[in-house]
Amino acid sequence: MRELTSRQRDVLEFIRAFTARQGMPPTVREIGERFRVTPRAAFDHLRALERKGALQRRAAGRRTSRALTPTDGPTGSWRAVPILGRIAAGGPLLAAENREGELPLAAAALARHGEDVFALRVRGDSMIEAHICDGDLVLVRRQEGAQPGDIVVALLEDATGQGEATVKRFLRDGERLVLKPENRALAPIVVDPGERGVRILGKVIGLLRGL
């Protein structure tokens, strides 16, 4: 690694500390706010650190500073979490696990959730009162069951076997399953298992914004 300037060392240390605390690198905006510089100036620091070998680029769904991670972390300190595509958090959207890319996250931050974790992009405003907004990424632990009150990714199946995926809060009403939006303007989806298939794809365990 080539020699760094004093400011570049400060930026690199901030990225390391932020990543250890949050489980992912900071955004350009967060770096700019920390050092009181414009996003453009923060981006220039990142480019310089990448050129000098202090940061390495990992695959991500969009061009973002979160794809740049320190090169001197211990082996296995990062996991590439797949981004599987956009899903509905509003009206259900035809399910499609179209892989957008990968998101580098600190392995330590995911250790207690097991290996089967993925990210899905949210569309719509049905979960805004749970602070899940249009365009956010939800981190999901793949599992087939859920407890009442969990926020889940559920697949609603029609008579033809086609599926629609949605993010909702999971509840029960007797034998019926309730997928409740966190938006008082919208009605819950109530499913009678004898009339319509519903399958839990996973439980939401985290939220990422600005990616």
Side-chain angles (χ1 to χ4, degrees):
M1 184 173 67
R2 292 160 56 189
E3 185 175 354
L4 306 180
T5 67
S6 175
R7 176 49 63 93
Q8 288 167 357
R9 286 195 297 270
D10 289 344
V11 172
L12 183 60
E13 286 305 313
F14 172 69
I15 292 172
R16 287 172 176 154
F18 186 101
T19 301
R21 186 172 64 252
Q22 301 292 337
M24 69 188 71
T27 63
V28 168
R29 177 178 294 180
E30 288 163 337
I31 294 170
E33 290 174 351
R34 167 62 179 81
F35 292 97
R36 298 183 180 180
V37 298
T38 65
R40 175 66 188 184
F43 182 71
D44 287 343
H45 284 308
L46 292 175
R47 289 181 61 187
L49 288 168
E50 186 180 11
R51 285 197 306 270
K52 291 184 176 182
L55 296 177
Q56 60 186 333
R57 184 170 296 278
R58 297 171 184 266
R62 300 180 179 181
R63 292 183 61 84
T64 168
S65 64
R66 292 201 197 274
L68 291 168
T69 58
T71 57
D72 57 357
T75 301
S77 61
W78 295 95
R79 278 179 52 189
V81 174
I83 302 173
L84 296 183
R86 298 178 67 92
I87 58 174
L93 181 70
L94 184 66
E97 292 190 347
N98 296 323
R99 190 164 179 146
E100 291 185 3
E102 294 179 339
L103 184 68
L105 294 178
L110 298 173
R112 65 189 180 92
H113 297 298
E115 293 296 319
D116 209 354
V117 175
F118 59 92
L120 285 169
R121 197 170 298 282
V122 173
R123 178 182 294 164
D125 62 0
S126 78
M127 296 299 288
I128 55 174
E129 290 169 19
H131 308 291
I132 300 175
C133 301
D134 182 55
D136 287 349
L137 283 176
V138 287
L139 285 178
V140 183
R141 180 177 64 223
R142 193 179 294 274
Q143 60 185 58
E144 296 181 354
Q147 296 297 316
D150 287 346
I151 295 177
V152 301
V153 177
L155 186 68
L156 298 168
E157 299 175 345
D158 60 23
T160 68
Q162 296 296 311
E164 294 176 324
T166 186
V167 177
K168 294 290 186 291
R169 192 173 297 280
F170 176 79
L171 299 170
R172 287 187 178 273
D173 179 12
E175 294 298 316
R176 299 188 300 175
L177 306 180
V178 180
L179 300 174
K180 178 180 178 293
E182 292 292 344
N183 182 334
R184 281 167 282 186
L186 301 175
I189 300 171
V190 181
V191 180
D192 185 333
E195 298 178 358
R196 187 178 188 185
V198 59
R199 181 160 56 94
I200 303 300
L201 299 181
K203 176 183 175 180
V204 174
I205 58 171
L207 175 69
L208 303 173
R209 183 164 294 154
L211 297 180

